[in-house]
Amino acid sequence: MIRALRVARRSAMKARTQAVNQLKALIVIAPDVLREHIRGLHRMELIRTVTRWRPGAEPDTLTTVTKLAMQSLAHRYLQLDVEISELDRQLQRLVTRAAPELMAVKGLGAETVAALLVAVGDNPGRLRSESAFAHLCGVAPIPASSGKTSRHRLNRGGDRQDNHALYMITVSRMAWEPRTRAYVARRTAEGKTKTEIIRCLKRHIAREVYGLLVPRTPAQPPARDDLTTAA
């Protein structure tokens, strides 16, 4: 159910972005009399202004036809906005029912949790370890050591939507969570770049999320939750 809603939401989001981009493109070629009134307006101000226009029942000039075209795009944007809001509401309901523990974690929203749930699928038991989940999300570093140099390279595999979900969680926590901010400060002092630190944090968050997504059996050890293991 969550997968189906995400397909519809992703399509509506893409169409809404396309509508507003086309609306802004029409401003460039609009007659000066129109462009003077809407130039510099923010997105929602532009949408509200254009929807109030009255091009007439049968526009037959460049100005009125342009008004009609722009108004059509503005109404389409608002309709898609309502559609996305309803899909978000339904997604929130289903995700909360499917993974209440994840929704209770700060920094995790319905869309992010939905992406992670879709990655795990209907059979979470197939992921035998948090390492397997990290590989699935493309956040498990790949060994690339040579001689006396010990290093890891970026993993470009895995599900990119889940990788992006973990990235959004990471940057959110870097902004407000004290423990994560302290970790960033420590790793920065050690000479790590911001990109390297984000990769380490994504790996740690994958471990934390796995513990909430996949029920543990007695044979499975609990997932570690200290940031020192993220390196």
Side-chain angles (χ1 to χ4, degrees), residues 129-135 137-141 166-167 170 183 196-210 224 227 229-231:
S129 67
E130 51 90 14
S131 177
F133 178 70
H135 278 283
C137 297
V139 297
L166 293 176
Y167 172 80
T170 299
Y183 175 81
E196 291 172 333
I197 294 171
I198 289 176
R199 291 176 189 169
C200 293
L201 286 170
K202 283 163 68 175
R203 178 64 181 87
H204 161 73
I205 293 171
R207 180 181 299 121
E208 177 185 346
V209 168
Y210 174 82
R224 295 167 293 175
L227 284 177
T229 61

Side-chain angles (χ1 to χ4, degrees), residues 19-226:
V20 74
N21 287 343
Q22 290 172 337
L23 178 60
K24 291 179 179 179
L26 282 178
I27 296 176
V28 178
I29 61 173
D32 291 340
V33 65
L34 293 180
R35 198 161 52 240
E36 290 175 359
H37 288 88
I38 56 180
R39 180 184 295 159
L41 294 180
H42 295 295
R43 181 178 57 186
M44 289 311 300
E45 291 177 327
L46 173 65
I47 297 294
R48 285 192 291 266
T49 299
V50 171
T51 53
R52 289 195 296 266
W53 284 348
R54 296 293 180 267
E58 297 183 359
D60 55 2
T61 66
L62 176 60
T63 298
T64 55
V65 167
T66 303
K67 279 186 174 182
L68 178 63
M70 296 180 70
Q71 189 180 66
S72 175
L73 290 169
H75 282 304
R76 184 182 307 170
Y77 179 94
L78 293 177
Q79 290 169 357
L80 288 167
D81 202 47
V82 173
E83 181 181 334
I84 291 169
S85 296
E86 174 59 19
L87 290 170
D88 282 340
R89 187 182 72 82
Q90 297 294 345
L91 196 63
Q92 177 88 18
R93 178 179 61 84
L94 291 178
V95 169
T96 302
R97 190 174 74 185
E101 299 87 357
L102 274 175
M103 289 297 292
V105 177
K106 289 186 177 180
L108 297 185
E111 175 61 21
T112 302
V113 175
L116 296 171
L117 287 172
V118 170
V120 173
D122 298 327
N123 183 22
R126 65 190 174 88
L127 297 173
R128 299 304 179 89
S129 67
E130 51 90 14
S131 177
F133 178 70
H135 278 283
L136 176 66
C137 297
V139 297
I142 306 299
S145 301
S146 176
K148 296 182 179 180
T149 302
S150 178
R151 59 180 291 270
H152 294 79
R153 67 172 178 85
L154 175 65
N155 186 343
R156 300 187 183 278
D159 189 304
R160 304 321 296 172
Q161 291 188 29
D162 300 312
N163 190 289
H164 179 70
L166 293 176
Y167 172 80
M168 295 305 297
I169 299 171
T170 299
V171 295
S172 173
R173 290 187 175 185
M174 289 173 67
W176 59 265
E177 188 184 47
R179 185 178 60 155
T180 303
R181 290 171 65 90
Y183 175 81
V184 171
R186 177 169 64 83
R187 299 296 281 178
T188 301
E190 293 173 359
K192 294 288 186 181
T193 65
K194 183 178 179 180
T195 301
E196 291 172 333
I197 294 171
I198 289 176
R199 291 176 189 169
C200 293
L201 286 170
K202 283 163 68 175
R203 178 64 181 87
H204 161 73
I205 293 171
R207 180 181 299 121
E208 177 185 346
V209 168
Y210 174 82
L212 297 173
L213 272 175
V214 182
R216 288 203 308 269
T217 63
Q220 288 180 305
R224 295 167 293 175
D225 61 355
D226 59 299

